[in-house]
Amino acid sequence: MGDKPIWEQIGSSFIQHYYQLFDNDRIQLGAIYIDASCLTWEGQQFQGNAAIVEKLSSLPFQKIQHSITAQDHQPTPDSCIISMVVGQLKADEDPIMGFHQMFLLKNINDAWVCTNDMFRLALHNFG
Amino acid sequence: MRKFRSNWSQGDRERYQERSDSYRERAGTSYLSRERWTHQEVVTSPLPKPVATSSLMASSVDFKTYVDQACRAAEEFVNIYYETMDKRRRALTRLYLDKATLIWNGNVVSGLDALNNFFDALPSSEFQVNMLDCQPVHEQATQSQTTVLVVTSGTVKFDGNKQHYFNQNFLLTAQSTPNNTVWKIASDCFRFQDWAST
């Protein structure tokens, strides 16, 4: 039985690191984005490290916890990695909600950064 | 629950409504010609590049235009994709690059032959897309072709199975000529959301 493909190793490492930072001190997420990064958060677009960190830091909850249900990783033709995550989260004392998130990772100067990030809550009832 | 939701995504409900209305409208009045539809390709007019390529970040106005145009192409593509999946399943793999890879609920399907076999064996489907997000991949991230990332979610019912919520993401690449741009899927990832919504 061989090891997991390299993109799965890198992708799952990144995912673990990302949610650990997010859940404990999300201001530190700045290190994984660059000036060219784009975030789409629940339909809102943010471009650039600064704008992204500002959005994430300003989210209105004190406590947050993510739990990953499933993750998938694929290499892209240009040696980037695309990762898709499906899971659940709980913020403060609110009910648990589903979410899904997609990341595009690129290796720049030996570090893997996130150039594209799209997040959506799994909300099915808009009543 | 409503208050919490509004904390997460201010104004999202309006945006969702706007977005999903315009998405459904577009679905009914696609500007792709009948001929292109029959040939099962997604062809759009050439996608302009953002202007300021010397700096890492294009000016915000140019970038927004670039994003809008990329996303319009992506929405057309998604519309064609699900309609083909539901109604012309045998033509679906024409929307994939030869070396495209699909991960379907964790199962890797790689290359056109495997994709053909896979979609042939998959029961007939009825997809309903409720949400779509897309982003162009910045030139700095891909050295060659125009690339767009698309995330969709909604419901699907496969013949003989119960209805599921699903999430899917696509990496689309544009093969450009001076006159048009042909879009194909380079990577595809599909998963059911398994928990019941409340």
Side-chain angles (χ1 to χ4, degrees):
Chain A
M1 190 77 172
D3 280 338
K4 278 197 271 188
I6 186 74
W7 58 84
E8 267 188 49
Q9 293 177 41
I10 294 168
S12 53
S13 254
F14 172 87
I15 296 298
Q16 187 181 20
H17 182 61
Y18 175 89
Y19 290 108
Q20 193 168 19
L21 281 183
F22 200 111
D23 291 356
N24 294 309
D25 189 6
R26 55 192 189 274
I27 287 184
Q28 292 192 48
L29 287 169
I32 67 157
Y33 298 102
I34 56 175
D35 277 343
S37 296
C38 292
L39 165 68
T40 302
W41 183 273
E42 275 289 294
Q44 270 188 300
Q45 308 268 16
F46 299 90
Q47 188 195 354
N49 180 300
I52 292 173
V53 172
E54 202 200 310
K55 171 62 182 177
L56 297 180
S57 324
S58 70
L59 289 169
F61 42 75
Q62 307 288 6
K63 276 187 323 180
I64 175 77
Q65 203 176 352
H66 291 80
S67 161
I68 313 280
T69 304
Q71 51 184 296
D72 293 300
H73 308 281
Q74 291 190 48
T76 74
D78 285 332
S79 306
C80 293
I81 295 175
I82 180 169
S83 297
M84 183 162 100
V85 175
V86 164
Q88 295 180 301
L89 54 78
K90 186 175 167 68
D92 292 333
E93 300 311 317
D94 295 308
I96 291 176
M97 296 207 290
F99 76 92
H100 68 273
Q101 190 156 14
M102 190 235 75
F103 302 94
L104 185 72
L105 309 178
K106 180 168 175 65
N107 188 309
I108 295 180
N109 299 330
D110 268 346
W112 286 91
V113 296
C114 177
T115 58
N116 297 80
D117 177 350
M118 289 193 263
F119 171 90
R120 279 278 179 190
L121 291 167
L123 297 171
H124 307 300
N125 302 311
F126 285 80
Chain B
M1 183 73 177
R2 198 183 297 262
K3 169 188 177 283
F4 178 79
R5 198 162 64 224
S6 75
N7 282 342
W8 275 85
S9 42
Q10 300 115 348
D12 185 60
R13 183 163 182 187
E14 287 103 49
R15 247 194 309 278
Y16 166 71
Q17 209 49 51
E18 214 176 272
R19 174 59 128 185
S20 95
D21 286 350
S22 104
Y23 176 68
R24 285 190 197 127
E25 246 169 59
R26 217 167 277 140
T29 59
S30 166
Y31 56 71
L32 287 183
S33 74
R34 182 141 186 86
E35 190 185 59
R36 286 179 188 152
W37 164 250
T38 312
H39 288 167
Q40 219 60 59
E41 276 185 335
V42 184
V43 179
T44 63
S45 53
L47 197 67
K49 295 286 188 178
V51 169
T53 52
S54 55
S55 63
L56 274 177
M57 210 158 63
S59 74
S60 57
V61 172
D62 299 309
F63 186 75
K64 187 173 186 324
T65 307
Y66 183 62
V67 170
D68 285 347
Q69 288 179 322
C71 286
R72 268 209 291 283
E75 288 182 32
E76 286 291 342
F77 186 94
V78 163
N79 176 35
I80 298 278
Y81 179 87
Y82 289 107
E83 185 132 7
T84 307
M85 166 84 86
D86 286 351
K87 297 179 183 158
R88 291 170 217 252
R89 178 70 65 77
R90 265 174 286 188
L92 189 62
T93 55
R94 288 181 230 176
L95 296 176
Y96 289 81
L97 290 178
D98 286 354
K99 295 195 186 148
T101 300
L102 158 67
I103 304 183
W104 183 275
N105 284 320
N107 301 297
V108 179
V109 183
S110 196
L112 270 188
D113 283 346
L115 286 166
N116 273 315
N117 291 335
F118 176 81
F119 286 121
D120 201 42
L122 198 64
S124 63
S125 56
E126 266 176 59
F127 273 90
Q128 165 77 43
V129 178
N130 294 329
M131 195 73 78
L132 178 151
D133 282 316
C134 74
Q135 288 179 2
V137 178
H138 196 277
E139 269 185 54
Q140 296 290 333
T142 58
Q143 282 134 4
S144 47
Q145 299 156 325
T146 303
T147 305
V148 174
L149 287 164
V150 184
V151 177
T152 60
S153 61
T155 58
V156 61
K157 182 159 187 336
F158 288 102
D159 194 36
N161 294 273
K162 68 177 170 99
Q163 191 178 65
H164 287 275
Y165 290 109
F166 78 91
N167 301 304
Q168 188 158 15
N169 70 30
F170 300 99
L171 187 77
L172 303 182
T173 73
Q175 292 161 325
S176 292
T177 70
N179 295 321
N180 62 30
T181 302
V182 179
W183 295 87
K184 298 227 177 189
I185 301 171
S187 302
D188 180 357
C189 186
F190 177 97
R191 274 211 185 251
F192 292 144
Q193 270 183 353
D194 279 324
W195 53 85
S197 63
T198 51

